[in-house]
């Protein structure tokens, strides 16, 4: 499924049984970003429905011992037939810089292309500077900060990448 992961890692599609396992790593992986409000916000962004209804377009990376190493929750837009959307992605900080995030995006881009999608979009909070830098390195174009994008006080940065050719940071 994803053949360019570091040794000792394997990927598969998400399953309903992965929901609580993924929620359990969020606070640690995000280093407490935005405190208790941030923890609640992250948990609310990943309700079980994503692990039930978007399994074929989402991925989980596990270590050989079964521990969660990374995940990507994505879907094909029903409203915009040329667009796919990465809803939430996380990589264990111990794996940063080893190509795991890039491999997840590469797999999602290939899946999106196979369904005729030409663009991938995603968002992040302005405070998540690591996410902003990562997406920029992959070749995404960032918007200015969109105030109240997800509701009062929930500002976001919107990222877009065209899939016409292999994105620059992916190869």
């Amino acid at each position: 499924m994803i053949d360019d992961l570091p040794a000792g890692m394997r990927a598969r599609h998400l399953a309903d049984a992965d929901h609580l396992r993924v929620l359990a790593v969020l606070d640690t992986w995000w280093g407490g970003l935005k405190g208790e409000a941030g923890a609640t916000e992250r948990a609310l962004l990943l309700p079980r429905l994503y692990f039930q209804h978007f399994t074929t377009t989402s991925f989980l990376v596990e270590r050989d011992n079964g521990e969660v190493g990374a995940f990507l929750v994505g879907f094909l837009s029903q409203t915009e037939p040329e667009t796919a959307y990465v809803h939430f992605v996380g990589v264990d900080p111990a794996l940063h810089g080893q190509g795991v995030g890039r491999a997840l995006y590469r797999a999602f881009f290939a899946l999106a292309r196979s369904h005729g999608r030409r663009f991938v979009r995603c968002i992040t909070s302005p405070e998540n500077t690591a996410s902003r830098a990562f997406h920029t390195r992959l070749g995404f174009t960032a918007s200015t900060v969109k105030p109240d994008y997800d509701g009062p006080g929930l500002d976001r940065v919107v990222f877009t990448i065209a899939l016409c050719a292999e994105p620059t940071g992916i190869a």
Side-chain angles (χ1 to χ4, degrees):
M1 172 178 297
I2 300 176
D3 57 5
D4 51 351
L5 292 168
M9 309 294 291
R10 64 181 180 279
R12 62 175 173 78
H13 287 292
L14 278 179
D16 189 10
D18 298 319
H19 182 239
L20 293 179
R21 296 176 63 215
V22 169
L23 289 182
V25 301
L26 295 181
D27 287 340
T28 303
W29 289 6
W30 267 257
L33 181 67
K34 295 169 62 176
E36 186 62 34
T40 300
E41 185 180 323
R42 284 185 291 279
L44 290 173
L45 286 170
L46 283 173
R48 185 174 296 277
L49 71 92
Y50 285 100
F51 295 77
Q52 295 171 326
H53 299 285
F54 297 102
T55 59
T56 61
T57 55
S58 300
F59 304 97
L60 182 79
V61 175
E62 294 174 301
R63 293 177 172 85
D64 282 341
N65 65 7
E67 289 180 6
V68 176
F71 65 91
L72 182 148
V73 176
F75 57 89
L76 305 174
S77 174
Q78 293 184 6
T79 306
E80 298 178 23
E82 292 191 332
T83 301
Y85 187 82
V86 174
H87 173 69
F88 207 117
V89 64
V91 176
D92 182 337
L95 297 172
H96 286 184
Q98 296 184 38
V100 176
R102 188 173 11 267
L104 283 168
Y105 271 85
R106 188 173 319 155
F108 186 75
F109 291 165
L111 185 146
R113 279 190 197 97
S114 75
H115 288 275
R117 306 306 165 117
R118 295 182 51 224
F119 303 96
V120 172
R121 291 197 170 85
C122 56
I123 62 171
T124 196
S125 66
E127 299 88 358
N128 194 338
T129 55
S131 175
R132 292 175 72 173
F134 174 75
H135 286 91
T136 300
R137 284 193 308 272
L138 290 182
F140 280 86
T141 301
S143 72
T144 58
V145 173
K146 304 288 187 186
D148 301 329
Y149 184 89
D150 274 338
L154 298 174
D155 303 346
R156 299 289 183 257
V157 175
V158 179
F159 292 93
T160 304
I161 193 165
L163 298 179
C164 301
E166 188 69 27
T168 57
I170 293 294

